Coordinates of all heavy atoms in Angstrom, one line a residue:
M299 N 32.7 -119.9 -16.9 CA 32.5 -118.5 -17.0 C 33.0 -117.8 -15.7 O 32.6 -118.3 -14.6 CB 31.1 -118.1 -17.3 CG 30.8 -116.6 -17.4 SD 29.1 -116.3 -17.8 CE 29.3 -115.7 -19.4
I300 N 33.7 -116.7 -15.9 CA 34.1 -115.9 -14.7 C 33.0 -115.2 -14.2 O 32.3 -114.4 -14.9 CB 35.3 -115.0 -15.0 CG1 36.5 -115.7 -15.5 CG2 35.6 -114.1 -13.8 CD1 37.7 -114.9 -15.9
K301 N 32.6 -115.4 -12.9 CA 31.4 -114.8 -12.3 C 31.8 -113.6 -11.4 O 31.0 -112.8 -11.1 CB 30.6 -115.8 -11.4 CG 30.0 -116.9 -12.4 CD 28.9 -116.3 -13.2 CE 28.1 -117.4 -13.9 NZ 27.0 -116.9 -14.7
S302 N 33.0 -113.7 -10.7 CA 33.4 -112.6 -9.7 C 34.9 -112.6 -9.6 O 35.6 -113.5 -9.8 CB 32.7 -112.9 -8.4 OG 33.1 -114.1 -7.8
F303 N 35.3 -111.4 -9.2 CA 36.7 -111.1 -8.9 C 36.9 -110.7 -7.5 O 36.0 -110.0 -6.9 CB 37.3 -110.0 -9.8 CG 37.4 -110.4 -11.3 CD1 36.4 -110.4 -12.2 CD2 38.6 -110.8 -11.7 CE1 36.5 -110.8 -13.5 CE2 38.9 -111.2 -13.0 CZ 37.7 -111.1 -13.9
R304 N 38.1 -111.0 -6.9 CA 38.5 -110.4 -5.7 C 39.3 -109.2 -5.9 O 39.3 -108.3 -5.1 CB 39.3 -111.5 -4.8 CG 38.6 -111.8 -3.6 CD 39.5 -112.7 -2.7 NE 38.5 -113.4 -1.9 CZ 38.5 -114.6 -1.5 NH1 39.6 -115.3 -1.9 NH2 37.6 -115.2 -0.9
H305 N 40.2 -109.3 -6.9 CA 41.2 -108.2 -7.2 C 40.5 -107.2 -8.2 O 40.3 -107.5 -9.3 CB 42.4 -108.9 -7.8 CG 43.6 -108.0 -7.9 ND1 43.7 -107.0 -8.9 CD2 44.7 -107.9 -7.1 CE1 44.9 -106.5 -8.7 NE2 45.5 -106.9 -7.7
K306 N 40.4 -106.0 -7.7 CA 39.7 -105.0 -8.4 C 40.6 -104.6 -9.8 O 40.0 -104.3 -10.8 CB 39.4 -103.7 -7.7 CG 38.5 -104.0 -6.5 CD 37.1 -104.6 -7.1 CE 36.2 -104.8 -5.9 NZ 35.1 -105.7 -6.3
G307 N 41.9 -104.5 -9.6 CA 42.7 -104.2 -10.7 C 42.6 -105.2 -11.9 O 42.5 -104.9 -13.0
L308 N 42.6 -106.5 -11.4 CA 42.4 -107.6 -12.4 C 41.0 -107.5 -13.1 O 40.9 -107.8 -14.3 CB 42.7 -108.9 -11.8 CG 42.6 -110.2 -12.6 CD1 43.8 -110.1 -13.6 CD2 42.7 -111.4 -11.7
E309 N 40.1 -107.3 -12.3 CA 38.7 -107.1 -12.8 C 38.6 -105.9 -13.9 O 38.0 -106.1 -14.9 CB 37.7 -106.8 -11.7 CG 36.3 -106.8 -12.2 CD 35.3 -106.7 -11.1 OE1 35.7 -106.3 -10.0 OE2 34.1 -106.9 -11.3
R310 N 39.3 -104.8 -13.6 CA 39.4 -103.7 -14.5 C 40.1 -104.1 -15.8 O 39.7 -103.8 -16.9 CB 40.0 -102.5 -13.8 CG 39.9 -101.2 -14.6 CD 40.4 -100.0 -13.9 NE 41.6 -100.2 -13.0 CZ 41.5 -100.3 -11.6 NH1 40.3 -100.1 -11.0 NH2 42.5 -100.5 -10.9
F311 N 41.2 -104.9 -15.6 CA 41.9 -105.3 -16.8 C 41.1 -106.2 -17.6 O 41.0 -106.1 -18.8 CB 43.2 -106.0 -16.3 CG 44.0 -106.7 -17.4 CD1 44.7 -105.9 -18.3 CD2 44.0 -108.1 -17.6 CE1 45.4 -106.5 -19.3 CE2 44.7 -108.7 -18.6 CZ 45.4 -107.9 -19.5
Y312 N 40.3 -107.2 -17.0 CA 39.5 -108.0 -17.8 C 38.4 -107.3 -18.5 O 38.1 -107.6 -19.7 CB 38.9 -109.0 -16.8 CG 37.9 -110.0 -17.3 CD1 38.2 -111.1 -18.1 CD2 36.5 -109.8 -17.0 CE1 37.3 -112.0 -18.6 CE2 35.6 -110.7 -17.5 CZ 36.0 -111.8 -18.3 OH 35.0 -112.7 -18.7
A313 N 37.8 -106.3 -17.9 CA 36.7 -105.6 -18.5 C 37.1 -104.5 -19.5 O 36.5 -104.3 -20.6 CB 35.8 -104.9 -17.4
T314 N 38.3 -103.9 -19.3 CA 38.6 -102.7 -20.1 C 40.0 -102.8 -20.8 O 40.3 -102.0 -21.7 CB 38.6 -101.4 -19.3 OG1 39.7 -101.4 -18.4 CG2 37.3 -101.2 -18.6
G315 N 40.9 -103.7 -20.3 CA 42.3 -103.8 -20.8 C 43.2 -102.9 -20.0 O 44.4 -102.8 -20.4
S316 N 42.7 -102.1 -19.0 CA 43.6 -101.2 -18.4 C 44.5 -102.0 -17.5 O 44.2 -102.9 -16.8 CB 42.7 -100.3 -17.4 OG 43.5 -99.6 -16.4
K317 N 45.8 -101.6 -17.6 CA 46.9 -102.3 -16.9 C 47.1 -101.6 -15.5 O 48.0 -102.1 -14.8 CB 48.2 -102.2 -17.6 CG 48.1 -103.0 -19.0 CD 49.3 -102.9 -19.7 CE 49.2 -103.5 -21.2 NZ 50.3 -103.4 -22.0
A318 N 46.3 -100.6 -15.1 CA 46.4 -100.0 -13.8 C 46.0 -101.1 -12.7 O 45.0 -101.7 -12.9 CB 45.5 -98.8 -13.6
G319 N 46.9 -101.3 -11.8 CA 46.5 -102.3 -10.8 C 47.2 -103.7 -11.0 O 47.0 -104.6 -10.2
I320 N 47.8 -104.0 -12.1 CA 48.5 -105.3 -12.4 C 49.9 -104.9 -12.8 O 50.2 -103.8 -13.2 CB 47.8 -106.1 -13.5 CG1 47.8 -105.4 -14.9 CG2 46.3 -106.4 -13.1 CD1 47.5 -106.3 -16.0
Q321 N 50.7 -106.0 -12.8 CA 52.1 -105.8 -13.3 C 52.0 -105.7 -14.8 O 51.5 -106.7 -15.5 CB 52.9 -107.0 -12.9 CG 53.1 -107.1 -11.4 CD 54.0 -106.1 -10.8 OE1 55.0 -105.7 -11.5 NE2 53.7 -105.7 -9.7
P322 N 52.4 -104.6 -15.5 CA 52.3 -104.5 -17.0 C 52.9 -105.6 -17.7 O 52.4 -106.0 -18.7 CB 52.9 -103.1 -17.3 CG 52.9 -102.4 -16.0 CD 52.9 -103.4 -14.9
D323 N 54.0 -106.1 -17.3 CA 54.7 -107.2 -18.0 C 54.0 -108.5 -17.9 O 54.2 -109.5 -18.6 CB 56.1 -107.4 -17.5 CG 56.3 -107.6 -16.1 OD1 55.6 -107.0 -15.3 OD2 57.3 -108.4 -15.7
H324 N 52.9 -108.6 -17.1 CA 52.1 -109.8 -17.0 C 50.8 -109.8 -17.9 O 50.1 -110.7 -17.9 CB 51.6 -110.0 -15.5 CG 52.7 -110.3 -14.5 ND1 52.5 -110.4 -13.2 CD2 54.0 -110.7 -14.7 CE1 53.6 -110.6 -12.6 NE2 54.5 -110.8 -13.5
A325 N 50.6 -108.6 -18.5 CA 49.3 -108.4 -19.2 C 49.0 -109.5 -20.3 O 47.9 -110.0 -20.4 CB 49.3 -107.0 -19.9
A326 N 50.0 -109.9 -21.1 CA 49.8 -110.8 -22.2 C 49.3 -112.2 -21.6 O 48.4 -112.7 -22.1 CB 50.9 -110.9 -23.1
R327 N 50.1 -112.5 -20.6 CA 49.8 -113.9 -20.0 C 48.5 -113.8 -19.3 O 47.7 -114.8 -19.4 CB 51.0 -114.3 -19.1 CG 50.8 -115.7 -18.6 CD 52.1 -116.2 -17.9 NE 51.9 -117.6 -17.4 CZ 52.6 -118.6 -17.8 NH1 53.5 -118.5 -18.8 NH2 52.4 -119.8 -17.3
L328 N 48.2 -112.8 -18.5 CA 47.0 -112.7 -17.8 C 45.8 -112.7 -18.8 O 44.7 -113.3 -18.6 CB 46.9 -111.4 -17.0 CG 47.7 -111.5 -15.7 CD1 47.8 -110.1 -15.1 CD2 47.2 -112.5 -14.7
R329 N 46.0 -112.0 -19.9 CA 44.9 -112.1 -21.0 C 44.5 -113.5 -21.4 O 43.3 -113.9 -21.5 CB 45.2 -111.1 -22.1 CG 44.2 -110.9 -23.1 CD 44.6 -109.8 -24.1 NE 44.8 -108.5 -23.5 CZ 45.9 -107.9 -23.4 NH1 47.0 -108.4 -24.0 NH2 46.1 -106.7 -22.9
K330 N 45.6 -114.2 -21.7 CA 45.3 -115.6 -22.1 C 44.7 -116.5 -20.9 O 43.8 -117.2 -21.2 CB 46.7 -116.3 -22.5 CG 47.3 -115.8 -23.7 CD 48.6 -116.3 -24.0 CE 49.4 -115.7 -25.1 NZ 50.7 -116.1 -25.3
Q331 N 45.3 -116.3 -19.8 CA 44.8 -117.1 -18.7 C 43.3 -116.7 -18.3 O 42.4 -117.6 -18.0 CB 45.6 -116.8 -17.4 CG 47.0 -117.5 -17.6 CD 47.9 -117.3 -16.5 OE1 48.0 -116.2 -15.9 NE2 48.8 -118.3 -16.1
L332 N 42.9 -115.4 -18.4 CA 41.6 -115.0 -18.1 C 40.6 -115.6 -19.2 O 39.6 -116.0 -18.9 CB 41.5 -113.5 -17.9 CG 42.1 -112.9 -16.7 CD1 42.1 -111.4 -16.7 CD2 41.4 -113.5 -15.4
A333 N 41.1 -115.6 -20.4 CA 40.3 -116.2 -21.5 C 40.0 -117.6 -21.3 O 38.9 -118.2 -21.5 CB 40.9 -115.9 -22.8
V334 N 41.0 -118.4 -20.8 CA 40.9 -119.8 -20.6 C 39.9 -120.0 -19.3 O 39.0 -120.9 -19.4 CB 42.2 -120.5 -20.3 CG1 42.0 -121.9 -19.8 CG2 43.0 -120.6 -21.5
L335 N 40.1 -119.3 -18.3 CA 39.2 -119.3 -17.1 C 37.8 -119.1 -17.5 O 36.9 -119.7 -17.0 CB 39.7 -118.4 -16.0 CG 41.0 -118.8 -15.3 CD1 41.3 -117.8 -14.2 CD2 40.9 -120.2 -14.7
D336 N 37.5 -118.1 -18.4 CA 36.2 -117.7 -18.8 C 35.5 -118.8 -19.5 O 34.3 -118.9 -19.6 CB 36.2 -116.3 -19.6 CG 35.0 -115.7 -19.7 OD1 34.2 -115.7 -18.6 OD2 34.6 -115.1 -20.7
N337 N 36.3 -119.7 -20.2 CA 35.7 -120.8 -21.0 C 35.9 -122.1 -20.3 O 35.6 -123.2 -20.9 CB 36.3 -120.8 -22.3 CG 35.9 -119.6 -23.2 OD1 34.7 -119.4 -23.4 ND2 36.9 -118.7 -23.5
L338 N 36.4 -122.2 -19.1 CA 36.8 -123.4 -18.4 C 35.5 -124.3 -18.1 O 34.5 -123.7 -17.6 CB 37.5 -123.1 -17.1 CG 38.3 -124.1 -16.4 CD1 39.4 -124.7 -17.3 CD2 38.7 -123.6 -15.0
T339 N 35.6 -125.5 -18.5 CA 34.6 -126.5 -18.2 C 35.0 -127.6 -17.2 O 34.2 -128.2 -16.6 CB 34.0 -127.2 -19.4 OG1 35.0 -127.8 -20.2 CG2 33.3 -126.1 -20.3
A340 N 36.3 -127.7 -17.0 CA 36.9 -128.7 -16.2 C 38.3 -128.3 -15.8 O 39.0 -127.7 -16.6 CB 37.0 -130.1 -16.8
L341 N 38.7 -128.5 -14.6 CA 40.1 -128.1 -14.2 C 41.2 -128.9 -15.0 O 42.2 -128.3 -15.1 CB 40.2 -128.4 -12.7 CG 39.5 -127.5 -11.7 CD1 39.5 -128.0 -10.3 CD2 40.0 -126.1 -11.8
A342 N 40.8 -130.0 -15.4 CA 41.8 -130.7 -16.3 C 42.1 -130.0 -17.6 O 43.1 -130.3 -18.3 CB 41.2 -132.1 -16.6
D343 N 41.3 -129.1 -18.0 CA 41.5 -128.3 -19.2 C 42.6 -127.2 -19.0 O 43.0 -126.6 -20.0 CB 40.2 -127.6 -19.6 CG 39.1 -128.6 -20.1 OD1 39.5 -129.7 -20.4 OD2 37.9 -128.2 -20.1
L344 N 43.1 -127.0 -17.8 CA 44.1 -126.0 -17.6 C 45.4 -126.5 -18.1 O 45.8 -127.7 -17.9 CB 44.2 -125.6 -16.1 CG 43.0 -124.9 -15.5 CD1 43.2 -124.9 -14.1 CD2 43.0 -123.5 -16.1
P345 N 46.2 -125.7 -18.8 CA 47.5 -126.2 -19.3 C 48.5 -126.6 -18.1 O 48.6 -125.8 -17.1 CB 48.0 -125.0 -20.1 CG 46.8 -124.3 -20.4 CD 45.9 -124.3 -19.3
A346 N 49.1 -127.7 -18.2 CA 50.1 -128.1 -17.2 C 51.2 -127.1 -17.0 O 51.7 -127.0 -15.9 CB 50.7 -129.5 -17.6
S347 N 51.5 -126.4 -18.0 CA 52.6 -125.4 -17.9 C 52.2 -124.2 -17.0 O 53.2 -123.5 -16.5 CB 53.0 -124.8 -19.3 OG 51.9 -124.1 -19.9
W348 N 51.0 -124.1 -16.7 CA 50.5 -123.0 -15.7 C 50.6 -123.6 -14.3 O 50.2 -122.9 -13.3 CB 49.2 -122.5 -16.0 CG 49.0 -121.8 -17.3 CD1 50.1 -121.4 -18.2 CD2 47.8 -121.3 -18.0 NE1 49.6 -120.7 -19.2 CE2 48.1 -120.7 -19.2 CE3 46.5 -121.5 -17.6 CZ2 47.2 -120.1 -20.0 CZ3 45.5 -120.9 -18.5 CH2 45.9 -120.2 -19.6
K349 N 51.0 -124.8 -14.1 CA 51.2 -125.4 -12.8 C 49.9 -125.3 -11.9 O 50.0 -124.9 -10.8 CB 52.4 -124.8 -12.0 CG 53.7 -124.9 -12.8 CD 54.8 -124.2 -12.1 CE 56.0 -124.2 -13.0 NZ 56.9 -123.2 -12.7
P350 N 48.8 -125.7 -12.5 CA 47.5 -125.7 -11.7 C 47.6 -126.6 -10.4 O 48.2 -127.7 -10.5 CB 46.4 -126.2 -12.6 CG 47.1 -127.0 -13.7 CD 48.5 -126.4 -13.8
H351 N 47.1 -126.1 -9.3 CA 47.2 -126.9 -8.0 C 46.0 -126.4 -7.1 O 45.7 -125.2 -7.1 CB 48.6 -126.9 -7.4 CG 49.0 -125.5 -7.1 ND1 49.6 -124.7 -8.0 CD2 49.1 -124.9 -5.9 CE1 50.0 -123.5 -7.4 NE2 49.7 -123.6 -6.1
P352 N 45.6 -127.3 -6.3 CA 44.6 -126.9 -5.2 C 45.3 -126.3 -4.1 O 46.6 -126.5 -3.8 CB 44.0 -128.2 -4.8 CG 44.9 -129.3 -5.1 CD 45.8 -128.7 -6.4
L353 N 44.6 -125.4 -3.4 CA 45.2 -124.7 -2.2 C 44.7 -125.3 -1.0 O 43.7 -126.0 -0.9 CB 44.9 -123.2 -2.3 CG 45.4 -122.5 -3.5 CD1 45.0 -121.0 -3.6 CD2 46.9 -122.6 -3.6
A354 N 45.5 -125.1 0.1 CA 45.2 -125.6 1.4 C 45.0 -124.5 2.4 O 45.3 -123.4 2.1 CB 46.2 -126.7 1.9
G355 N 44.8 -124.9 3.7 CA 44.8 -123.9 4.8 C 43.5 -122.9 4.6 O 42.4 -123.4 4.3
G356 N 43.8 -121.7 4.8 CA 42.7 -120.7 4.7 C 42.1 -120.5 3.3 O 41.1 -120.0 3.2
L357 N 42.8 -121.0 2.3 CA 42.4 -121.0 0.9 C 41.9 -122.3 0.4 O 41.8 -122.5 -0.8 CB 43.4 -120.4 0.0 CG 43.9 -119.0 0.2 CD1 45.0 -118.6 -0.6 CD2 42.7 -118.0 0.0
A358 N 41.6 -123.3 1.3 CA 41.2 -124.6 0.9 C 40.0 -124.5 0.1 O 39.1 -123.6 0.4 CB 41.0 -125.4 2.2
G359 N 39.9 -125.3 -0.9 CA 38.7 -125.2 -1.9 C 39.0 -124.3 -3.2 O 38.3 -124.5 -4.1
A360 N 40.1 -123.6 -3.0 CA 40.5 -122.7 -4.2 C 41.6 -123.4 -4.9 O 42.2 -124.4 -4.5 CB 41.0 -121.4 -3.7
H361 N 41.9 -122.9 -6.1 CA 43.0 -123.4 -7.0 C 43.8 -122.2 -7.4 O 43.4 -121.1 -7.4 CB 42.3 -124.1 -8.1 CG 41.7 -125.3 -7.9 ND1 40.4 -125.3 -7.4 CD2 42.0 -126.6 -7.9 CE1 40.0 -126.5 -7.2 NE2 40.9 -127.4 -7.4
A362 N 45.0 -122.6 -7.8 CA 46.0 -121.5 -8.3 C 46.6 -122.0 -9.6 O 46.8 -123.2 -9.9 CB 47.0 -121.3 -7.2
I363 N 47.0 -121.0 -10.4 CA 47.8 -121.2 -11.6 C 48.9 -120.1 -11.6 O 48.7 -119.0 -11.0 CB 47.0 -121.1 -12.9 CG1 46.2 -119.8 -13.0 CG2 46.1 -122.3 -13.1 CD1 45.5 -119.6 -14.4
S364 N 50.0 -120.5 -12.1 CA 51.2 -119.6 -12.1 C 51.1 -118.5 -13.2 O 50.7 -118.8 -14.4 CB 52.5 -120.5 -12.3 OG 53.6 -119.6 -12.4
V365 N 51.4 -117.3 -12.8 CA 51.5 -116.2 -13.8 C 52.9 -116.0 -14.2 O 53.3 -116.2 -15.3 CB 50.9 -114.8 -13.3 CG1 51.0 -113.8 -14.2 CG2 49.4 -115.1 -12.9
S366 N 53.7 -115.7 -13.2 CA 55.2 -115.4 -13.4 C 55.9 -115.3 -12.0 O 55.3 -114.6 -11.1 CB 55.4 -114.1 -14.2 OG 56.8 -113.9 -14.3
G367 N 57.0 -116.0 -11.9 CA 57.7 -115.9 -10.6 C 56.8 -116.4 -9.5 O 56.2 -117.4 -9.5
N368 N 56.6 -115.5 -8.5 CA 55.8 -115.8 -7.4 C 54.3 -115.4 -7.6 O 53.5 -115.7 -6.7 CB 56.2 -115.2 -6.1 CG 57.5 -115.7 -5.6 OD1 57.9 -116.9 -5.9 ND2 58.3 -115.0 -4.8
W369 N 54.0 -114.8 -8.7 CA 52.6 -114.3 -8.9 C 51.7 -115.5 -9.4 O 52.1 -116.3 -10.2 CB 52.6 -113.2 -10.0 CG 53.2 -111.9 -9.4 CD1 54.5 -111.5 -9.5 CD2 52.4 -110.9 -8.7 NE1 54.6 -110.3 -8.8 CE2 53.4 -109.9 -8.4 CE3 51.1 -110.7 -8.4 CZ2 53.0 -108.7 -7.8 CZ3 50.7 -109.6 -7.7 CH2 51.7 -108.6 -7.4
R370 N 50.5 -115.5 -8.8 CA 49.5 -116.5 -9.1 C 48.1 -115.9 -9.3 O 47.9 -114.8 -8.7 CB 49.4 -117.5 -7.9 CG 50.7 -118.2 -7.6 CD 51.1 -119.2 -8.6 NE 52.4 -119.9 -8.2 CZ 53.6 -119.6 -8.3 NH1 53.8 -118.4 -9.1 NH2 54.6 -120.2 -8.0
L371 N 47.3 -116.7 -10.1 CA 45.9 -116.4 -10.1 C 45.3 -117.4 -9.2 O 45.6 -118.6 -9.4 CB 45.3 -116.5 -11.5 CG 45.6 -115.3 -12.5 CD1 44.8 -115.6 -13.9 CD2 45.1 -114.0 -11.9
T372 N 44.5 -117.0 -8.3 CA 43.8 -118.0 -7.5 C 42.2 -117.8 -7.8 O 41.8 -116.7 -8.1 CB 44.0 -117.8 -6.0 OG1 43.6 -116.5 -5.5 CG2 45.5 -118.0 -5.6
F373 N 41.6 -118.9 -7.7 CA 40.1 -118.8 -8.0 C 39.4 -120.0 -7.4 O 40.0 -121.1 -7.0 CB 39.9 -118.8 -9.6 CG 40.5 -120.0 -10.2 CD1 39.7 -121.2 -10.4 CD2 41.9 -120.0 -10.5 CE1 40.3 -122.3 -11.1 CE2 42.4 -121.2 -11.2 CZ 41.6 -122.3 -11.4
E374 N 38.1 -120.0 -7.2 CA 37.2 -121.1 -6.9 C 36.5 -121.6 -8.2 O 36.2 -120.7 -8.9 CB 36.3 -120.7 -5.8 CG 37.0 -120.4 -4.5 CD 36.1 -120.0 -3.4 OE1 34.9 -120.1 -3.5 OE2 36.6 -119.5 -2.4
F375 N 36.4 -122.9 -8.3 CA 35.7 -123.5 -9.4 C 34.5 -124.2 -9.0 O 34.6 -125.1 -8.2 CB 36.7 -124.4 -10.2 CG 36.2 -124.9 -11.5 CD1 36.0 -124.0 -12.5 CD2 36.0 -126.2 -11.7 CE1 35.5 -124.5 -13.8 CE2 35.4 -126.7 -12.8 CZ 35.2 -125.9 -13.9
D376 N 33.4 -123.9 -9.6 CA 32.2 -124.5 -9.2 C 31.4 -124.9 -10.5 O 30.8 -124.0 -11.1 CB 31.4 -123.6 -8.4 CG 29.9 -124.2 -8.0 OD1 29.8 -125.4 -7.9 OD2 29.0 -123.3 -7.8
G377 N 31.4 -126.2 -10.9 CA 30.7 -126.6 -12.1 C 31.5 -126.1 -13.3 O 32.6 -126.5 -13.6
S378 N 30.9 -125.1 -14.0 CA 31.6 -124.4 -15.0 C 31.8 -123.0 -14.8 O 32.1 -122.2 -15.7 CB 30.8 -124.7 -16.4 OG 29.5 -124.0 -16.2
D379 N 31.6 -122.6 -13.5 CA 31.8 -121.2 -13.1 C 33.1 -121.0 -12.3 O 33.4 -121.7 -11.5 CB 30.5 -120.7 -12.3 CG 29.3 -120.7 -13.2 OD1 29.4 -120.4 -14.4 OD2 28.2 -120.9 -12.7
V380 N 33.7 -119.8 -12.5 CA 34.9 -119.4 -11.8 C 34.5 -118.3 -11.0 O 33.9 -117.2 -11.5 CB 36.0 -119.1 -12.8 CG1 37.2 -118.6 -12.0 CG2 36.4 -120.3 -13.6
H381 N 34.8 -118.3 -9.7 CA 34.4 -117.3 -8.8 C 35.7 -116.7 -8.0 O 36.7 -117.5 -7.9 CB 33.6 -117.8 -7.6 CG 32.3 -118.3 -8.2 ND1 31.2 -117.6 -8.5 CD2 31.9 -119.6 -8.6 CE1 30.1 -118.2 -8.9 NE2 30.5 -119.5 -9.0
L382 N 35.6 -115.5 -7.5 CA 36.7 -114.9 -6.7 C 38.1 -115.0 -7.2 O 39.0 -115.4 -6.5 CB 36.6 -115.5 -5.3 CG 35.2 -115.4 -4.6 CD1 35.2 -116.3 -3.3 CD2 34.8 -114.0 -4.3
V383 N 38.2 -114.6 -8.4 CA 39.5 -114.6 -9.1 C 40.4 -113.5 -8.5 O 40.0 -112.4 -8.4 CB 39.4 -114.4 -10.6 CG1 40.8 -114.4 -11.3 CG2 38.4 -115.4 -11.3
D384 N 41.6 -113.9 -8.0 CA 42.4 -113.0 -7.4 C 43.9 -113.1 -8.1 O 44.2 -114.1 -8.6 CB 42.6 -113.4 -5.9 CG 43.0 -112.3 -4.9 OD1 43.3 -111.2 -5.5 OD2 43.2 -112.5 -3.7
Y385 N 44.6 -112.0 -7.9 CA 45.9 -111.9 -8.5 C 46.9 -111.6 -7.3 O 46.7 -110.5 -6.7 CB 45.9 -110.8 -9.6 CG 47.2 -110.4 -10.2 CD1 48.0 -111.3 -11.0 CD2 47.5 -109.0 -10.1 CE1 49.1 -110.7 -11.5 CE2 48.7 -108.5 -10.7 CZ 49.5 -109.4 -11.4 OH 50.6 -109.0 -12.1
R386 N 47.8 -112.5 -7.1 CA 48.5 -112.3 -5.8 C 50.0 -112.8 -5.9 O 50.2 -113.7 -6.6 CB 47.9 -112.8 -4.6 CG 47.6 -114.3 -4.8 CD 47.0 -115.0 -3.5 NE 45.6 -114.6 -3.3 CZ 45.1 -114.7 -2.1 NH1 45.7 -115.1 -1.1 NH2 43.8 -114.3 -1.9
D387 N 50.8 -112.3 -5.1 CA 52.2 -112.7 -4.8 C 52.1 -113.4 -3.6 O 52.2 -112.9 -2.4 CB 53.2 -111.6 -4.9 CG 54.6 -112.1 -4.6 OD1 54.8 -113.3 -4.4 OD2 55.5 -111.2 -4.7
Y388 N 51.8 -114.7 -3.6 CA 51.5 -115.5 -2.3 C 52.6 -116.3 -1.7 O 52.3 -117.0 -0.8 CB 50.2 -116.2 -2.4 CG 50.2 -117.6 -3.2 CD1 50.7 -118.7 -2.6 CD2 49.7 -117.6 -4.4 CE1 50.6 -119.9 -3.3 CE2 49.5 -118.8 -5.1 CZ 50.0 -120.0 -4.5 OH 50.0 -121.2 -5.1
H389 N 53.7 -116.2 -2.3 CA 54.9 -116.9 -1.6 C 55.7 -116.0 -0.8 O 56.0 -114.9 -1.0 CB 55.7 -117.6 -2.7 CG 55.1 -118.8 -3.3 ND1 54.1 -118.8 -4.2 CD2 55.2 -120.1 -2.9 CE1 53.7 -119.9 -4.5 NE2 54.3 -120.8 -3.7

């Protein structure tokens, strides 16, 4: 279950469907990805096509999935809870 967000625009999109603060052309994919994250019980449940991977450096302990191009969702996973979901162009 998603417990917290870092990105306010993504949090608003999740709660209300408002596309303000996200790339509008990413909305359909983000909707699917957030639904999967909200029901996630194991990292292995993430589709391989989303290129899930652990992060290193300052984001060590977090994971990322591909949205489109350089855009990623990053998050921390603890048991069955997802924390600090962020939406970023990190490359």
Side-chain angles (χ1 to χ4, degrees):
M299 172 180 252
I300 296 175
K301 295 289 188 178
S302 63
F303 287 85
R304 243 190 204 138
H305 192 280
K306 297 301 179 194
L308 185 64
E309 183 175 19
R310 187 173 38 254
F311 175 72
Y312 176 74
T314 69
S316 170
K317 295 178 188 173
I320 66 163
Q321 298 289 320
D323 55 323
H324 294 170
R327 186 165 179 120
L328 286 170
R329 189 172 294 113
K330 289 176 193 171
Q331 290 177 324
L332 291 171
V334 168
L335 289 178
D336 199 35
N337 293 297
L338 194 63
T339 57
L341 290 171
D343 295 339
L344 292 170
S347 63
W348 293 353
K349 303 174 188 165
H351 58 279
L353 299 176
L357 295 174
H361 293 81
I363 55 177
S364 177
V365 177
S366 179
N368 291 337
W369 287 92
R370 304 289 183 271
L371 283 183
T372 62
F373 59 93
E374 294 180 10
F375 185 68
D376 178 28
S378 62
D379 294 327
V380 175
H381 300 274
L382 301 172
V383 182
D384 202 359
Y385 172 62
R386 59 174 70 202
D387 181 356
Y388 76 79
H389 283 84

